[in-house]
Structures are given as C-alpha cells and as structure tokens.
Amino acid sequence: MNLSQLCADAQKGDKKAENQLFTKLFERFLPIAGYRIRNRQDAEEVCQIALETILAKYKEIEFDEGFASWAVKVLDFKIRKYFDKRKHPLQDTTEMEGIEQNQAGLVEQPDFKLRDKLLECLKKIGKRNNRYARIIVMQFQGYKIDEICEKLNTTPNNVYVLLSRSRSLLKQCLEPGDTHEPGQ
Amino acid sequence: MNRDNRKEYCDKMLHAYELGILSDEERQRFESHYLECDYCYEGVKEFESVARLLREDKTVYETAKSITTETETTSGFTGVLSKLWDGTRKQATFAPLAAAAMIVLLMIPAYLIFIGGQQGQVIDLWGSRSADDTVFNIDPGEDVTLEFRYGDFTPGKEYIIEVIPYLRESVYTDSNFTAFNSHFVGQLTLSPDIFEDGFYKLLLSSVKGDPLMEVVFEVDKIESQE
C-alpha cells in the first residue's frame, strides 16, 4: 500500500495503518537525512524529530500537494534546523537538544575494500569517457546541475542520461567477480 | 505517471540525486517521489555506501581529477596528432608544420604557468596529493583564495585558521573560521600583500588549539608589470 493510502487510512483512525505509515516513513527518511547529515546517529535522531512533528499534525492537515511532499518538507525543515543549531548554538531549538552530544561521534570510516574497487571501476569507466569523472570532480567542488551543464556545454537531460549509464556501469563493475571492461 | 515513465524518471534522476547535484526544488520533487516509489528506495539503499564514497571520499576526488587530466592530455595530443598525420601523403607534406605546431602547443602550458595562469588566483591545496612540491605563482594585483578540503569538519562549527610562513610568525589568523561548503571544501581569501616568495603552511585547528590539518605550499610572486 502506498503512503497516501496509508495516511488516509490512518487519518480515519486505523492504528495498524498508522504503524505501517510511520515504519515506512522512518525507513525512507533515513537515506535522505543520511545524505545531508554525515553522522548516522544524528541523522536518525533528526528523522525521529521529523516523525514526531508529522505524527502530531498529520491528522489535522489537508494535503494539497500530497502527503509525501508535505512529509519531505517537514524533514527538510528539521534538517535545516539541525544545521542552524550548529551554526547558532545559543538559539532556542529545544527539540534539537541531545543531538549536541553526538557531535563527538566522528564520521564513520569508509569501507576500504569497496573504495579500492570503486577507484578501479572509475578508472575503467574514465578510459572510455571522461565526462563522468568530470561530473564527479564538479560535484565535489559544489557545482549543481545547471552549472555542470554549462561547463560541459550540454543539456540537463544529457547529463542525467550520462549519469544513469555510468551508474549502471559502476554497478556492473562493482558486482563480485566482475572481470570485464565496462560497456563491453 | 505510468509504470514505464516512472522507471524512466527513476533511472534518470537517481544518480544525480545520489551525487547531490540537483537544485533544491528538483531534489524535493525527487524526494517526494522517492517516498512513494519502491524502485527508487531499493536503488538508493543498494547504492548508499558507493554514493557516500562518490560524494565524500578524497581519494575518489583525486582519482576522478587525475582521470580528467590524463584523458584530456592523451586525447588532446592523439587527436591533434591524428589530424596532422592523417594519411601517408599528408604526413610528408605537413610533417614540418606539425612539428612546429606541436612545439607551440607544448610551450603553451609552460607559458601559462610562467604568467600565473594556473586557475587564476585560486591556490588549490586539495587537488594535488602533495602541494609542497608545487609552486603557486600569484599575481600581486589580485586577491588570493586558498582552497582546501577537510573531510571531518562539522558544519557551523568554528575553527582557527592560520597562514604561517616558514620559520616565522603567522601572517594571518582567524579564530572563527567557518567557510566550508557542503563538500567539505574550505575557502580563505587573502590579500596578496601578505605573501612573499617562499614556503607557507596553512594550519587548521580546533578552537581549543588542537591541530587538525596542515598543508605546506610554495608561493612565487610574479613581478609587477609597472
């Protein structure tokens, strides 16, 4: 069952649907928060805070753009608030208390085996077409899609297609036991 | 959106999202879709560790950068060579011309470095493995931006940053440095007047004074044209 349906059922008082809704939301929120907050523990806590807000309000709201859009906006707001709290520690952001203690938890170590294989695959792909490597470099430098298109002198659609193909090649190359050159 | 269109949209947007290059608006649109889409959720989950490395790992950046440099150099030369030596008859006719063209081409990078043309006034201290064997030519008429990467920085947290000439006192200190972007790249813009020819150390410390990162680099000031 999709989120909107679960939400509609939960709004009518279906407890089972409500449980399913929040379990699913938590699962799907985690990667979103994890992309922006590097500390996993903090990311989990921000998701919990967002879910608390959603739980407190979802029954009273009529969703113009759909439940998922609203839920994403709530999470986005909480993530921004989390970063604001770090920039301005004296500001009143009571709900973010407790997260402060996790700052000492340093960023997780990378999976070195995966990293070595990834570097190897990047080189293989780069031999055929260096545009993917150029995009990787630009994303590190903070460029967004429009600026990347301008630099590569191409359209967003072409960049999306290039990325999609490169992702498939990477996936293929990273599979255990891969010995062939990507794209062959 | 029907099933085929949906899959097409997922495949198209997924990696751009994973790399964090979508605009805020496009990102939110994708995330709203992703919450409802099992295919995207599985994709994101499956590639989570790889995507994290692609976005955050310094060695990935260095490898990607070396690929772009290598392939540009190789394809540039082979492209020029194949055009100049295209066929045996042309080879005899154009060989002296090609040789002259190659000499000019080879001289351009050296000339650009000589006039300080490398990346304008940005001193890239994180792109090369060892900045200390690179001499950065700086123009005394323009501000200098030091660009460096510190992967373990905490957004919003303040750091002490210092620029210290070899065996001398610091020429620049900022105890409230926070200028990192979302990709952990810090930027510090300074007046060219603080630099003289020689070695410098960029030192990043915690507010308590514990050193966290240091990079050594060499500066060579270009003579003023006046």
Side-chain angles (χ1 to χ4, degrees):
Chain A
M1 205 183 289
N2 69 29
L3 284 180
S4 307
Q5 189 56 53
L6 284 172
C7 176
D9 292 348
Q11 277 179 325
K12 286 177 202 158
D14 183 339
K15 280 283 164 200
K16 198 177 160 196
E18 191 176 75
N19 277 338
Q20 281 181 356
L21 174 71
F22 282 88
T23 308
K24 199 167 178 179
L25 270 182
F26 184 67
E27 263 174 23
R28 300 204 172 193
F29 271 5
L30 261 184
I32 297 180
Y35 273 172
R36 291 161 70 188
I37 301 169
R38 297 178 79 217
N39 182 308
R40 191 170 172 87
Q41 211 178 335
D42 284 0
E44 278 179 19
E45 292 203 34
V46 170
C47 289
Q48 289 288 3
I49 292 165
L51 289 178
E52 279 166 25
T53 304
I54 292 171
L55 184 63
K57 293 185 179 169
Y58 85 99
K59 284 187 178 166
E60 304 148 21
I61 295 177
E62 282 183 31
F63 304 106
D64 297 334
E65 298 169 45
F67 172 73
S69 296
W70 175 72
V72 159
K73 279 180 190 160
V74 173
L75 178 63
D76 191 55
F77 179 74
K78 297 298 176 191
I79 294 173
R80 284 170 200 266
K81 212 166 169 184
Y82 163 81
F83 284 116
D84 279 352
K85 164 80 179 165
R86 292 179 147 212
K87 281 182 193 156
H88 311 288
L90 298 177
Q91 226 173 40
D92 179 27
T93 46
T94 325
E95 60 180 8
M96 295 291 164
E97 273 171 15
I99 290 188
E100 198 81 39
Q101 279 95 53
N102 298 336
Q103 306 311 323
L106 292 173
V107 178
E108 295 157 33
Q109 284 291 309
D111 175 345
F112 293 107
K113 212 171 158 188
L114 176 68
R115 188 175 72 181
D116 290 346
K117 182 78 179 158
L118 176 64
L119 297 179
E120 199 184 297
C121 293
L122 275 179
K123 284 178 195 162
K124 280 185 184 177
I125 295 171
K127 268 187 204 166
R128 299 187 155 262
N129 184 347
N130 77 350
R131 297 218 295 178
Y132 181 56
R134 286 183 69 190
I135 295 173
I136 298 291
V137 171
M138 283 189 262
Q139 63 95 16
F140 264 98
Q141 293 167 341
Y143 290 105
K144 293 286 177 188
I145 186 81
D146 290 344
E147 298 156 311
I148 291 174
C149 290
E150 212 178 298
K151 286 192 175 280
L152 293 179
N153 196 20
T154 188
T155 61
N157 205 42
N158 284 342
V159 172
Y160 294 140
V161 171
L162 173 81
L163 287 176
S164 173
R165 283 188 192 144
S166 307
R167 189 181 189 274
S168 305
L169 292 175
L170 261 188
K171 205 173 148 186
Q172 206 179 337
C173 179
L174 288 168
E175 270 166 16
D178 170 77
T179 48
H180 67 278
E181 291 282 309
Q184 281 183 349
Chain B
M1 213 186 275
N2 68 33
R3 209 173 171 172
D4 286 346
N5 286 347
R6 181 179 269 236
K7 189 175 175 301
E8 198 181 311
Y9 174 76
C10 299
D11 287 337
K12 203 171 98 171
M13 304 305 285
L14 204 50
H15 205 35
Y17 173 71
E18 288 167 334
L19 294 179
I21 59 172
L22 295 176
S23 64
D24 279 356
E25 197 185 324
E26 199 65 69
R27 177 178 55 75
Q28 278 198 7
R29 194 177 308 148
F30 178 80
E31 285 173 348
S32 306
H33 159 87
Y34 149 93
L35 281 192
E36 299 270 24
C37 175
D38 292 338
Y39 181 81
C40 283
Y41 171 61
E42 291 302 329
V44 166
K45 217 169 70 168
E46 188 189 7
F47 228 55
E48 203 177 347
S49 316
V50 177
R52 190 174 281 273
L53 286 169
L54 286 171
R55 284 196 318 271
E56 297 172 0
D57 196 277
K58 193 180 174 186
T59 53
V60 169
Y61 169 78
E62 285 168 350
T63 304
K65 199 164 184 184
S66 72
I67 291 168
T68 58
T69 319
E70 268 170 37
T71 47
E72 269 159 21
T73 314
T74 319
S75 64
F77 281 122
T78 50
V80 170
L81 285 170
S82 65
K83 278 179 189 162
L84 291 171
W85 274 281
D86 188 17
T88 46
R89 251 183 58 197
K90 279 183 190 168
Q91 183 180 342
T93 318
F94 292 107
L97 183 63
M102 288 306 296
I103 290 167
V104 172
L105 280 173
L106 288 166
M107 283 171 68
I108 288 171
Y111 174 69
L112 286 175
I113 288 167
F114 176 71
I115 63 165
Q118 58 171 40
Q119 298 182 47
Q121 285 285 98
V122 175
I123 294 190
D124 177 2
L125 298 176
W126 63 297
S128 59
R129 277 172 202 276
S130 52
D132 53 347
D133 58 12
T134 312
V135 182
F136 295 97
N137 297 287
I138 62 167
D139 180 340
E142 274 182 70
D143 281 350
V144 180
T145 299
L146 304 179
E147 208 172 82
F148 54 95
R149 191 166 197 274
Y150 176 55
D152 287 336
F153 96 102
T154 305
K157 195 172 165 182
E158 291 178 342
Y159 295 90
I160 302 172
I161 196 158
E162 288 173 88
V163 179
I164 310 163
Y166 182 63
L167 295 178
R168 281 166 46 206
E169 290 295 305
S170 163
V171 287
Y172 179 86
T173 305
D174 177 0
S175 308
N176 309 100
F177 182 80
T178 56
F180 284 97
N181 69 14
S182 59
H183 289 73
F184 320 106
V185 179
Q187 280 197 335
L188 175 67
T189 302
L190 299 167
S191 157
D193 301 338
I194 69 165
F195 291 104
E196 290 169 12
D197 290 354
F199 283 97
Y200 287 81
K201 182 163 76 177
L202 175 80
L203 179 65
L204 187 77
S205 317
S206 71
V207 282
K208 288 179 188 164
D210 304 323
L212 299 169
M213 185 207 84
E214 61 175 67
V215 195
V216 176
F217 58 99
E218 188 179 356
V219 164
D220 185 7
K221 259 182 144 172
I222 306 160
E223 297 257 331
S224 174
Q225 298 296 314
E226 290 163 25

mmCIF file of all heavy atoms in Angstrom, chain A residues 24-54:
data_model
loop_
_atom_site.group_PDB
_atom_site.id
_atom_site.type_symbol
_atom_site.label_atom_id
_atom_site.label_comp_id
_atom_site.label_asym_id
_atom_site.label_seq_id
_atom_site.Cartn_x
_atom_site.Cartn_y
_atom_site.Cartn_z
ATOM 1 N N LYS A 24 7.355 2.859 7.572
ATOM 2 C CA LYS A 24 7.798 3.085 6.191
ATOM 3 C C LYS A 24 8.474 4.458 6.059
ATOM 4 O O LYS A 24 9.517 4.584 5.406
ATOM 5 C CB LYS A 24 6.582 2.998 5.261
ATOM 6 C CG LYS A 24 6.933 2.770 3.819
ATOM 7 C CD LYS A 24 5.695 2.386 3.042
ATOM 8 C CE LYS A 24 6.010 2.202 1.575
ATOM 9 N NZ LYS A 24 4.880 1.811 0.774
ATOM 10 N N LEU A 25 7.864 5.445 6.700
ATOM 11 C CA LEU A 25 8.451 6.795 6.622
ATOM 12 C C LEU A 25 9.859 6.816 7.217
ATOM 13 O O LEU A 25 10.769 7.415 6.647
ATOM 14 C CB LEU A 25 7.588 7.798 7.392
ATOM 15 C CG LEU A 25 6.483 8.512 6.635
ATOM 16 C CD1 LEU A 25 5.776 9.495 7.562
ATOM 17 C CD2 LEU A 25 7.021 9.270 5.427
ATOM 18 N N PHE A 26 10.021 6.176 8.356
ATOM 19 C CA PHE A 26 11.333 6.173 9.011
ATOM 20 C C PHE A 26 12.381 5.520 8.103
ATOM 21 O O PHE A 26 13.471 6.063 7.905
ATOM 22 C CB PHE A 26 11.264 5.458 10.363
ATOM 23 C CG PHE A 26 12.568 5.513 11.114
ATOM 24 C CD1 PHE A 26 13.064 6.712 11.604
ATOM 25 C CD2 PHE A 26 13.317 4.358 11.311
ATOM 26 C CE1 PHE A 26 14.287 6.771 12.286
ATOM 27 C CE2 PHE A 26 14.539 4.407 11.993
ATOM 28 C CZ PHE A 26 15.008 5.614 12.482
ATOM 29 N N GLU A 27 12.014 4.385 7.540
ATOM 30 C CA GLU A 27 12.915 3.668 6.617
ATOM 31 C C GLU A 27 13.362 4.576 5.477
ATOM 32 O O GLU A 27 14.520 4.604 5.096
ATOM 33 C CB GLU A 27 12.141 2.535 5.959
ATOM 34 C CG GLU A 27 12.285 1.180 6.575
ATOM 35 C CD GLU A 27 11.331 0.202 5.879
ATOM 36 O OE1 GLU A 27 10.908 0.430 4.699
ATOM 37 O OE2 GLU A 27 10.991 -0.756 6.538
ATOM 38 N N ARG A 28 12.397 5.294 4.933
ATOM 39 C CA ARG A 28 12.694 6.084 3.735
ATOM 40 C C ARG A 28 13.300 7.444 4.051
ATOM 41 O O ARG A 28 13.986 8.031 3.212
ATOM 42 C CB ARG A 28 11.421 6.238 2.894
ATOM 43 C CG ARG A 28 10.951 4.872 2.517
ATOM 44 C CD ARG A 28 10.115 4.785 1.322
ATOM 45 N NE ARG A 28 9.942 3.349 1.053
ATOM 46 C CZ ARG A 28 9.461 2.874 -0.065
ATOM 47 N NH1 ARG A 28 9.089 3.668 -1.010
ATOM 48 N NH2 ARG A 28 9.355 1.571 -0.243
ATOM 49 N N PHE A 29 13.042 7.929 5.237
ATOM 50 C CA PHE A 29 13.657 9.200 5.644
ATOM 51 C C PHE A 29 15.165 9.037 5.866
ATOM 52 O O PHE A 29 15.932 9.950 5.591
ATOM 53 C CB PHE A 29 13.036 9.692 6.959
ATOM 54 C CG PHE A 29 11.818 10.565 6.791
ATOM 55 C CD1 PHE A 29 11.270 10.787 5.542
ATOM 56 C CD2 PHE A 29 11.234 11.176 7.885
ATOM 57 C CE1 PHE A 29 10.146 11.596 5.387
ATOM 58 C CE2 PHE A 29 10.114 11.990 7.743
ATOM 59 C CZ PHE A 29 9.572 12.192 6.495
ATOM 60 N N LEU A 30 15.533 7.861 6.394
ATOM 61 C CA LEU A 30 16.934 7.690 6.801
ATOM 62 C C LEU A 30 17.964 7.988 5.701
ATOM 63 O O LEU A 30 18.901 8.765 5.937
ATOM 64 C CB LEU A 30 17.159 6.287 7.341
ATOM 65 C CG LEU A 30 17.151 6.149 8.851
ATOM 66 C CD1 LEU A 30 17.486 4.723 9.250
ATOM 67 C CD2 LEU A 30 18.154 7.106 9.509
ATOM 68 N N PRO A 31 17.818 7.404 4.507
ATOM 69 C CA PRO A 31 18.803 7.734 3.469
ATOM 70 C C PRO A 31 18.803 9.228 3.101
ATOM 71 O O PRO A 31 19.856 9.802 2.838
ATOM 72 C CB PRO A 31 18.369 6.891 2.270
ATOM 73 C CG PRO A 31 17.544 5.800 2.839
ATOM 74 C CD PRO A 31 16.885 6.368 4.045
ATOM 75 N N ILE A 32 17.623 9.854 3.129
ATOM 76 C CA ILE A 32 17.548 11.283 2.801
ATOM 77 C C ILE A 32 18.356 12.082 3.817
ATOM 78 O O ILE A 32 19.210 12.908 3.462
ATOM 79 C CB ILE A 32 16.076 11.791 2.804
ATOM 80 C CG1 ILE A 32 15.260 11.090 1.728
ATOM 81 C CG2 ILE A 32 16.027 13.301 2.615
ATOM 82 C CD1 ILE A 32 13.794 11.537 1.663
ATOM 83 N N ALA A 33 18.095 11.816 5.091
ATOM 84 C CA ALA A 33 18.820 12.557 6.137
ATOM 85 C C ALA A 33 20.298 12.181 6.121
ATOM 86 O O ALA A 33 21.170 13.035 6.301
ATOM 87 C CB ALA A 33 18.202 12.258 7.491
ATOM 88 N N GLY A 34 20.557 10.897 5.874
ATOM 89 C CA GLY A 34 21.940 10.412 5.875
ATOM 90 C C GLY A 34 22.793 11.068 4.802
ATOM 91 O O GLY A 34 24.006 11.229 4.961
ATOM 92 N N TYR A 35 22.161 11.459 3.687
ATOM 93 C CA TYR A 35 22.912 12.129 2.624
ATOM 94 C C TYR A 35 23.402 13.497 3.056
ATOM 95 O O TYR A 35 24.430 13.972 2.613
ATOM 96 C CB TYR A 35 22.044 12.289 1.383
ATOM 97 C CG TYR A 35 22.095 11.097 0.466
ATOM 98 C CD1 TYR A 35 21.257 11.003 -0.618
ATOM 99 C CD2 TYR A 35 22.984 10.065 0.693
ATOM 100 C CE1 TYR A 35 21.286 9.902 -1.452
ATOM 101 C CE2 TYR A 35 23.025 8.968 -0.137
ATOM 102 C CZ TYR A 35 22.182 8.897 -1.200
ATOM 103 O OH TYR A 35 22.231 7.810 -2.021
ATOM 104 N N ARG A 36 22.599 14.128 3.915
ATOM 105 C CA ARG A 36 22.961 15.510 4.258
ATOM 106 C C ARG A 36 23.654 15.611 5.612
ATOM 107 O O ARG A 36 24.431 16.520 5.852
ATOM 108 C CB ARG A 36 21.718 16.398 4.193
ATOM 109 C CG ARG A 36 21.277 16.532 2.725
ATOM 110 C CD ARG A 36 19.863 16.979 2.591
ATOM 111 N NE ARG A 36 19.670 18.357 3.002
ATOM 112 C CZ ARG A 36 18.466 18.923 3.107
ATOM 113 N NH1 ARG A 36 17.394 18.221 2.857
ATOM 114 N NH2 ARG A 36 18.368 20.180 3.465
ATOM 115 N N ILE A 37 23.339 14.679 6.510
ATOM 116 C CA ILE A 37 23.978 14.696 7.825
ATOM 117 C C ILE A 37 24.926 13.507 7.871
ATOM 118 O O ILE A 37 24.496 12.372 7.762
ATOM 119 C CB ILE A 37 22.922 14.575 8.946
ATOM 120 C CG1 ILE A 37 21.934 15.732 8.843
ATOM 121 C CG2 ILE A 37 23.583 14.518 10.315
ATOM 122 C CD1 ILE A 37 20.715 15.586 9.723
ATOM 123 N N ARG A 38 26.186 13.771 8.011
ATOM 124 C CA ARG A 38 27.148 12.687 7.846
ATOM 125 C C ARG A 38 27.157 11.713 9.024
ATOM 126 O O ARG A 38 27.521 10.565 8.868
ATOM 127 C CB ARG A 38 28.551 13.260 7.615
ATOM 128 C CG ARG A 38 28.619 14.064 6.343
ATOM 129 C CD ARG A 38 29.977 14.656 6.160
ATOM 130 N NE ARG A 38 30.923 13.687 5.655
ATOM 131 C CZ ARG A 38 32.190 13.637 6.026
ATOM 132 N NH1 ARG A 38 32.661 14.478 6.900
ATOM 133 N NH2 ARG A 38 32.998 12.743 5.511
ATOM 134 N N ASN A 39 26.776 12.211 10.195
ATOM 135 C CA ASN A 39 26.774 11.344 11.368
ATOM 136 C C ASN A 39 25.457 10.559 11.414
ATOM 137 O O ASN A 39 24.379 11.137 11.510
ATOM 138 C CB ASN A 39 26.927 12.239 12.610
ATOM 139 C CG ASN A 39 26.989 11.439 13.879
ATOM 140 O OD1 ASN A 39 26.129 10.606 14.143
ATOM 141 N ND2 ASN A 39 28.006 11.695 14.663
ATOM 142 N N ARG A 40 25.553 9.251 11.324
ATOM 143 C CA ARG A 40 24.356 8.411 11.207
ATOM 144 C C ARG A 40 23.420 8.552 12.411
ATOM 145 O O ARG A 40 22.195 8.612 12.260
ATOM 146 C CB ARG A 40 24.772 6.950 11.023
ATOM 147 C CG ARG A 40 23.611 6.101 10.627
ATOM 148 C CD ARG A 40 23.982 4.719 10.200
ATOM 149 N NE ARG A 40 22.772 3.942 10.029
ATOM 150 C CZ ARG A 40 22.063 3.903 8.915
ATOM 151 N NH1 ARG A 40 22.446 4.600 7.878
ATOM 152 N NH2 ARG A 40 20.970 3.191 8.826
ATOM 153 N N GLN A 41 24.028 8.631 13.591
ATOM 154 C CA GLN A 41 23.219 8.733 14.798
ATOM 155 C C GLN A 41 22.398 10.036 14.786
ATOM 156 O O GLN A 41 21.226 10.049 15.129
ATOM 157 C CB GLN A 41 24.174 8.732 15.983
ATOM 158 C CG GLN A 41 23.580 8.111 17.224
ATOM 159 C CD GLN A 41 24.596 8.090 18.354
ATOM 160 O OE1 GLN A 41 25.805 8.088 18.113
ATOM 161 N NE2 GLN A 41 24.115 8.098 19.563
ATOM 162 N N ASP A 42 23.051 11.114 14.383
ATOM 163 C CA ASP A 42 22.353 12.399 14.287
ATOM 164 C C ASP A 42 21.238 12.323 13.246
ATOM 165 O O ASP A 42 20.136 12.841 13.448
ATOM 166 C CB ASP A 42 23.322 13.518 13.880
ATOM 167 C CG ASP A 42 24.207 13.945 15.042
ATOM 168 O OD1 ASP A 42 24.044 13.367 16.142
ATOM 169 O OD2 ASP A 42 25.052 14.834 14.860
ATOM 170 N N ALA A 43 21.553 11.689 12.126
ATOM 171 C CA ALA A 43 20.563 11.574 11.051
ATOM 172 C C ALA A 43 19.324 10.842 11.576
ATOM 173 O O ALA A 43 18.187 11.253 11.321
ATOM 174 C CB ALA A 43 21.158 10.843 9.859
ATOM 175 N N GLU A 44 19.554 9.774 12.323
ATOM 176 C CA GLU A 44 18.423 9.008 12.876
ATOM 177 C C GLU A 44 17.594 9.877 13.821
ATOM 178 O O GLU A 44 16.369 9.846 13.796
ATOM 179 C CB GLU A 44 18.937 7.784 13.645
ATOM 180 C CG GLU A 44 19.252 6.627 12.737
ATOM 181 C CD GLU A 44 19.787 5.412 13.480
ATOM 182 O OE1 GLU A 44 19.578 5.321 14.700
ATOM 183 O OE2 GLU A 44 20.425 4.570 12.825
ATOM 184 N N GLU A 45 18.291 10.666 14.630
ATOM 185 C CA GLU A 45 17.553 11.497 15.591
ATOM 186 C C GLU A 45 16.752 12.591 14.897
ATOM 187 O O GLU A 45 15.628 12.898 15.311
ATOM 188 C CB GLU A 45 18.527 12.092 16.612
ATOM 189 C CG GLU A 45 19.087 10.999 17.507
ATOM 190 C CD GLU A 45 19.596 11.509 18.831
ATOM 191 O OE1 GLU A 45 19.022 12.467 19.361
ATOM 192 O OE2 GLU A 45 20.587 10.952 19.309
ATOM 193 N N VAL A 46 17.322 13.159 13.853
ATOM 194 C CA VAL A 46 16.583 14.192 13.108
ATOM 195 C C VAL A 46 15.341 13.565 12.464
ATOM 196 O O VAL A 46 14.268 14.162 12.455
ATOM 197 C CB VAL A 46 17.494 14.882 12.061
ATOM 198 C CG1 VAL A 46 16.693 15.767 11.125
ATOM 199 C CG2 VAL A 46 18.564 15.708 12.756
ATOM 200 N N CYS A 47 15.479 12.344 11.967
ATOM 201 C CA CYS A 47 14.318 11.656 11.392
ATOM 202 C C CYS A 47 13.245 11.455 12.457
ATOM 203 O O CYS A 47 12.050 11.664 12.197
ATOM 204 C CB CYS A 47 14.717 10.284 10.838
ATOM 205 S SG CYS A 47 15.708 10.395 9.367
ATOM 206 N N GLN A 48 13.658 11.046 13.652
ATOM 207 C CA GLN A 48 12.698 10.840 14.742
ATOM 208 C C GLN A 48 11.957 12.142 15.053
ATOM 209 O O GLN A 48 10.740 12.144 15.229
ATOM 210 C CB GLN A 48 13.421 10.376 16.023
ATOM 211 C CG GLN A 48 13.960 8.968 15.966
ATOM 212 C CD GLN A 48 12.859 7.907 16.032
ATOM 213 O OE1 GLN A 48 11.676 8.234 16.064
ATOM 214 N NE2 GLN A 48 13.247 6.647 16.013
ATOM 215 N N ILE A 49 12.725 13.243 15.095
ATOM 216 C CA ILE A 49 12.109 14.545 15.405
ATOM 217 C C ILE A 49 11.098 14.922 14.316
ATOM 218 O O ILE A 49 9.998 15.388 14.602
ATOM 219 C CB ILE A 49 13.202 15.623 15.557
ATOM 220 C CG1 ILE A 49 14.019 15.338 16.825
ATOM 221 C CG2 ILE A 49 12.611 17.025 15.612
ATOM 222 C CD1 ILE A 49 15.332 16.092 16.904
ATOM 223 N N ALA A 50 11.467 14.679 13.058
ATOM 224 C CA ALA A 50 10.548 14.983 11.954
ATOM 225 C C ALA A 50 9.285 14.125 12.070
ATOM 226 O O ALA A 50 8.164 14.612 11.876
ATOM 227 C CB ALA A 50 11.237 14.741 10.620
ATOM 228 N N LEU A 51 9.476 12.851 12.416
ATOM 229 C CA LEU A 51 8.313 11.957 12.538
ATOM 230 C C LEU A 51 7.390 12.377 13.687
ATOM 231 O O LEU A 51 6.170 12.276 13.566
ATOM 232 C CB LEU A 51 8.776 10.510 12.741
ATOM 233 C CG LEU A 51 9.412 9.850 11.515
ATOM 234 C CD1 LEU A 51 9.873 8.440 11.839
ATOM 235 C CD2 LEU A 51 8.435 9.803 10.352
ATOM 236 N N GLU A 52 7.992 12.863 14.764
ATOM 237 C CA GLU A 52 7.163 13.339 15.884
ATOM 238 C C GLU A 52 6.260 14.487 15.424
ATOM 239 O O GLU A 52 5.085 14.550 15.751
ATOM 240 C CB GLU A 52 8.052 13.822 17.034
ATOM 241 C CG GLU A 52 8.575 12.677 17.906
ATOM 242 C CD GLU A 52 9.697 13.100 18.824
ATOM 243 O OE1 GLU A 52 9.787 14.304 19.172
ATOM 244 O OE2 GLU A 52 10.514 12.226 19.178
ATOM 245 N N THR A 53 6.850 15.410 14.660
ATOM 246 C CA THR A 53 6.058 16.538 14.145
ATOM 247 C C THR A 53 4.951 16.035 13.228
ATOM 248 O O THR A 53 3.807 16.486 13.305
ATOM 249 C CB THR A 53 6.970 17.516 13.371
ATOM 250 O OG1 THR A 53 8.017 17.907 14.234
ATOM 251 C CG2 THR A 53 6.230 18.730 12.868
ATOM 252 N N ILE A 54 5.313 15.106 12.355
ATOM 253 C CA ILE A 54 4.306 14.578 11.416
ATOM 254 C C ILE A 54 3.177 13.894 12.189
ATOM 255 O O ILE A 54 1.995 14.115 11.915
ATOM 256 C CB ILE A 54 4.985 13.617 10.406
ATOM 257 C CG1 ILE A 54 5.924 14.418 9.496
ATOM 258 C CG2 ILE A 54 3.955 12.862 9.572
ATOM 259 C CD1 ILE A 54 6.818 13.590 8.603
#
